[in-house]
Amino acid sequence: MFNDPHPDEVRVISKRFGLPNSASIDTYLANEGYVALMKAIEMSPEQIIDELKISSLRGRGGAGFPTGMKWSFIPRDNPKPKYVVVNADESEPGTCKDRLLIENDPHQLIEGCLIAARTIGCKKGYIYIRGEYRYLIDIMDKALAEAYAHGYLGKNIKGSGLDFDLYTHTGAGAYECGEESALLESLEGKRGVPRIRPPFPAVAGLYASPTVLNNVETFATVPAVLRMGGQAYADLGTPKNGGTRMLCVSGHVNRPGVYEVPLGFPMHKMIYEVCGGIRNGKKLKAVIPGGSSSPVLRAEECDFPMDYDNYARMKTMAGSGGMMVMDEDTDIVKVALRTMRFYAHESCGWCIPCREGTTWLRKILTRMDEGTGRRADIDLIHELAKNMLGRTFCPLGDAAAMPTIGFVEKFREEFEARLRETTVPVVSPDQLISIS
Amino acid sequence: MTFSTATENKLQEIWARYPEGRKRSAVIPMLMYAQDEVGQVTSELVAEVAKRCEVTPLQVEEVVGYYSMLNKERMGKHHVQICTNIACLLMGGEELWNHATKRLGIGHKQVTADGLISLEEVECAGACSWAPCVVDGYEYHHHATIEKLDRLLDSIQKVN
Ligand SMILES: Cc1cc2nc3c(=O)[nH]c(=O)nc-3n(C[C@H](O)[C@H](O)[C@H](O)COP(=O)(O)O)c2cc1C
Ligand code: SF4
Ligand code: FES
């Protein structure tokens, strides 16, 4: 399902994609598989963490937190069992890369988990996979069974004294369960609502024990970092933005797909060369650069080197790597509404600004879309979204507010054009309050 | 409650994955696999999972109410899900959804009178680069078109 490699791609973690039986342990072993684990066994935990720090690998799940630093927060002297948890919930609209990493190279993920286990002194790990991905769970279970059969999981792994068991765990359909603390609640058999922090998972995660929790891509990258050396990995990217990333491009390009490119790769080149430009000779209108929670960019803003710092400079984010490309015919009001319908549906309902804010915004945007909005609605949307920012319990509230603010600020004229189509204002301000 | 041997083995295997005293972790996976066999989450199933995982039926109910893939109502023999989230919307997901509801005469989470097909408008299924996407049970259909959707529905209706 992946494209043939594009000459501009740098395939580090997707280099085995496309090999015959790429998911099997035999293919993995024949292609540098478990070499990094053997290195890790010889290294001290501090050395592994140092190597990760040098690599400047940052979390690929959304927040971009430096991985080496995250692992270093695990308290060594805590006598409790420690856990490794893989976030394979992959539910951010626009994102479909973790799926390919598991489908084509599950052993790379297992090896990443083993290295994490070796680093923090952990005996058990879970891969939390969204329920919709049942076929991936089957692929992963098969790979786990192979790893046990070859002595890479279980007791005294390859004579190193290391014991580690790794299991899959299915979700049951809830975007909020991708949020790390909600994921842990879900993994404990409860509703997926977030926890108050601190304590952070590194101190009190799964079963209140120290836990390393990372995205699939982050774990999958760890073996490459140890194999190549942190510096060589870092050098692939830009300063402070080490290595490569999987980008999932969707929408109106000629060749949508998942591509691995170095950090700092120019967005314009991504769209026009790697992805073959905009379909049907249309013009580019906008890009949602990193999944549905990242603020939209107008066409003229889409030419910068894609690394974490430059995304931040553009007041958006790299997020989960889901780039959604929109051509000149795209209806931004519709896109804004669909985005909000998503967040209103997925809000766990725990806190009022998110639960009520997303629902209210969904209602106003519906009205706008149907051509019955009022002029004041545009500012109301903006104001409401701004009021949600930073006032919610978990980042889902921000994830709903940030793109909405972006849509209104950058495409205000489209919201206004929608009003001019209206002849009769349908609701009065009083009704507005009562129906919200 | 009794299950087929395959499901029973799966439930046992799941149960064994969690540490002593942490069997509650098995609640969601058990419900998911048992639901596949039973067809819906019945009160009997809730009680059975509660017993196996040493929690109260209320604690299981709480979970069932929260997750969108756990259904207390019986869905169709084929549960057809259409994604209309952003990437799919851009590629025609909404047209697919409208077409399916018209053709089958049912809406979101409704079932055809013969119990054969149910429909659900779903949030991003993680297939954005191959949008639009239709999922039949657990099976993904990428780059969907109205013609492909019709062929899928035809084949379901012909076989059954
Ligand atoms: C609402 C919400 C949904 C999220 N969904 C995911 C997800 O599906 N996959 C993921 O890896 N991270 C997701 N995250 C980010 C995680 O909370 C966490 O930051 C990440 O898994 C940490 O791993 P990393 O350091 O490797 O990025 C989500 C965050 C929020 C707030
Ligand atoms: S921000 Fe939304 S999803 Fe997060 S805790 Fe509050 S209600 Fe739940
Ligand atoms: S938006 Fe439809 S699969 Fe992601």
Side-chain angles (χ1 to χ4, degrees):
Chain A
M1 230 161 37
F2 44 89
N3 309 42
D4 288 335
H6 187 276
D8 289 332
E9 273 190 85
V10 176
R11 292 196 165 192
V12 176
I13 56 172
S14 59
K15 69 172 184 171
R16 280 174 290 259
F17 290 18
L19 293 178
N21 298 321
S22 70
S24 78
I25 196 164
D26 293 334
T27 305
Y28 193 63
L29 288 169
N31 291 278
E32 300 183 295
Y34 294 111
V35 168
L37 171 68
M38 292 311 169
K39 258 185 157 171
I41 287 170
E42 302 298 316
M43 292 164 83
S44 70
E46 288 73 21
Q47 283 172 323
I48 298 173
I49 287 172
D50 279 346
E51 214 58 53
L52 284 173
K53 285 184 176 164
I54 294 167
S55 78
S56 71
L57 171 64
R58 295 167 66 161
R60 306 298 196 221
F65 195 81
T67 306
M69 201 187 301
K70 197 178 209 174
W71 290 16
S72 74
F73 293 153
I74 299 285
R76 287 296 152 66
D77 46 2
N78 192 321
K80 285 188 168 178
K82 304 186 177 58
Y83 294 97
V84 164
V85 175
V86 181
N87 189 342
D89 194 56
E90 186 151 83
S91 307
E92 175 93 348
T95 320
C96 49
K97 64 187 172 70
D98 296 340
R99 185 177 156 183
L100 291 193
L101 283 164
I102 293 179
E103 183 175 322
N104 294 292
D105 205 349
H107 285 282
Q108 182 172 237
L109 174 60
I110 298 174
E111 187 174 7
C113 294
L114 277 158
I115 295 168
R118 160 82 185 100
T119 310
I120 65 167
C122 146
K123 295 195 180 343
K124 247 188 195 3
Y126 297 93
I127 307 173
Y128 185 104
I129 303 181
R130 67 180 295 184
E132 292 86 345
Y133 283 170
R134 174 65 60 86
Y135 84 102
L136 280 192
I137 298 176
D138 297 340
I139 292 175
M140 199 69 229
D141 281 340
K142 187 159 170 254
L144 290 169
E146 281 181 329
Y148 274 104
H150 282 74
Y152 287 104
L153 285 173
K155 294 244 172 304
N156 193 19
I157 290 164
K158 295 288 160 194
S160 65
L162 183 67
D163 300 338
F164 186 57
D165 289 310
L166 186 59
Y167 308 96
T168 55
H169 178 102
T170 179
Y175 167 68
E176 178 58 5
C177 289
E179 193 282 328
E180 57 183 15
S181 66
L183 184 147
L184 293 169
E185 285 291 293
S186 180
L187 189 42
E188 291 182 6
K190 303 174 209 157
R191 293 183 307 146
V193 294
R195 295 175 176 172
I196 297 176
R197 276 163 294 182
F200 288 91
V203 178
L206 184 62
Y207 311 132
S209 290
T211 301
V212 154
L213 188 152
N214 282 105
N215 174 253
V216 170
E217 186 182 346
T218 314
F219 279 117
T221 303
V222 170
V225 168
L226 290 201
R227 216 174 46 233
M228 300 169 66
Q231 193 57 51
Y233 180 80
D235 290 344
L236 295 173
T238 54
K240 288 196 271 157
N241 293 267
T244 60
R245 265 206 90 152
M246 306 290 285
L247 288 182
C248 337
V249 188
S250 59
H252 300 144
V253 287
N254 279 314
R255 282 194 299 274
V258 180
Y259 300 92
E260 184 175 359
V261 292
L263 275 138
F265 197 84
M267 185 181 272
H268 190 271
K269 195 171 177 186
M270 189 73 201
I271 297 170
Y272 287 94
E273 292 180 28
V274 179
C275 297
I278 310 299
R279 304 191 304 177
N280 306 326
K282 299 269 181 191
K283 283 212 229 20
L284 174 67
K285 178 177 200 166
V287 173
I288 297 172
S292 62
S293 49
S294 60
V296 66
L297 297 167
R298 290 183 72 111
E300 61 272 21
E301 297 172 303
C302 294
D303 193 14
F304 63 92
M306 294 183 285
D307 66 22
Y308 292 88
D309 300 324
N310 278 313
Y311 282 112
R313 194 172 53 75
M314 300 302 295
K315 299 201 167 41
T316 186
M317 37 184 220
S320 51
M323 244 178 98
M324 297 184 275
V325 180
M326 297 175 268
D327 71 14
E328 54 189 316
D329 297 336
T330 308
D331 180 342
I332 295 289
V333 177
K334 229 182 208 0
V335 172
L337 167 61
R338 188 62 188 88
T339 308
M340 195 48 65
R341 276 181 53 205
F342 169 72
Y343 287 108
H345 184 264
E346 299 298 327
S347 167
C348 81
W350 196 253
C351 51
I352 296 165
C354 171
R355 183 184 65 220
E356 301 300 319
T358 52
T359 306
W360 194 355
L361 283 167
R362 189 199 66 209
K363 286 181 179 170
I364 304 170
L365 286 163
T366 304
R367 200 155 69 210
M368 291 295 290
D369 179 49
E370 288 171 353
T372 55
R374 303 174 314 133
R375 178 152 297 273
D377 280 348
I378 304 175
D379 287 327
L380 184 59
I381 294 169
H382 194 234
E383 198 59 19
L384 266 172
K386 276 191 143 171
N387 267 307
M388 284 164 67
L389 268 189
R391 293 203 169 85
T392 56
F393 204 57
C394 88
L396 188 139
D398 291 340
M402 287 182 305
T404 308
I405 294 168
F407 287 130
V408 176
E409 287 183 352
K410 293 195 174 163
F411 292 94
R412 197 178 174 99
E413 71 280 3
E414 283 208 26
F415 287 82
E416 284 175 352
R418 244 347 191 277
L419 292 175
R420 281 184 221 114
E421 292 160 14
T422 319
T423 45
V424 194
V426 174
V427 277
S428 69
D430 294 334
Q431 282 173 314
L432 182 70
I433 290 162
S434 63
I435 61 167
S436 302
Chain B
M1 238 181 138
T2 47
F3 300 98
S4 66
T5 316
T7 302
E8 185 57 48
N9 289 344
K10 189 79 202 172
L11 299 185
Q12 297 289 345
E13 189 194 315
I14 288 169
W15 194 78
R17 290 177 182 173
Y18 307 96
E20 265 325 297
R22 304 292 184 184
K23 300 299 185 192
R24 184 175 181 176
S25 280
V27 166
I28 295 162
M30 270 198 188
L31 284 168
M32 285 286 282
Y33 281 90
Q35 174 182 261
D36 289 342
E37 177 162 316
V38 181
Q40 73 197 96
V41 180
T42 58
S43 320
E44 205 191 356
L45 178 57
V46 166
E48 180 69 25
V49 169
K51 191 176 79 194
R52 288 181 186 229
C53 300
E54 294 161 19
V55 293
T56 66
L58 185 63
Q59 287 170 316
V60 178
E61 288 282 2
E62 255 186 7
V63 162
V64 177
Y66 185 81
Y67 294 91
S68 66
M69 292 179 76
L70 295 171
N71 288 311
K72 296 203 79 171
E73 310 292 328
R74 182 174 282 275
M75 289 294 126
K77 197 168 155 204
H78 284 264
H79 186 49
V80 176
Q81 301 136 74
I82 300 177
C83 173
T84 57
N85 212 314
I86 313 169
C88 289
L89 176 83
L90 295 174
M91 303 301 279
E94 207 167 52
E95 288 77 13
L96 290 175
W97 173 251
N98 292 335
H99 179 77
T101 52
K102 254 197 225 106
R103 169 171 165 162
L104 297 171
I106 53 172
H108 179 62
K109 288 216 170 187
Q110 291 179 345
V111 194
T112 51
D114 56 4
L116 188 57
I117 302 175
S118 51
L119 276 182
E120 185 175 356
E121 185 180 8
V122 288
E123 300 300 346
C124 181
C128 322
S129 289
W130 315 282
C133 138
V134 173
V135 187
D136 169 18
Y138 290 108
E139 199 181 319
Y140 279 76
H141 297 264
H142 297 122
H143 299 298
T145 57
I146 290 192
E147 294 72 44
K148 283 194 196 168
L149 177 62
D150 271 334
R151 252 180 280 145
L152 172 70
L153 295 176
D154 285 344
S155 72
I156 294 173
Q157 288 171 325
K158 205 159 37 203
V159 171
N160 292 277

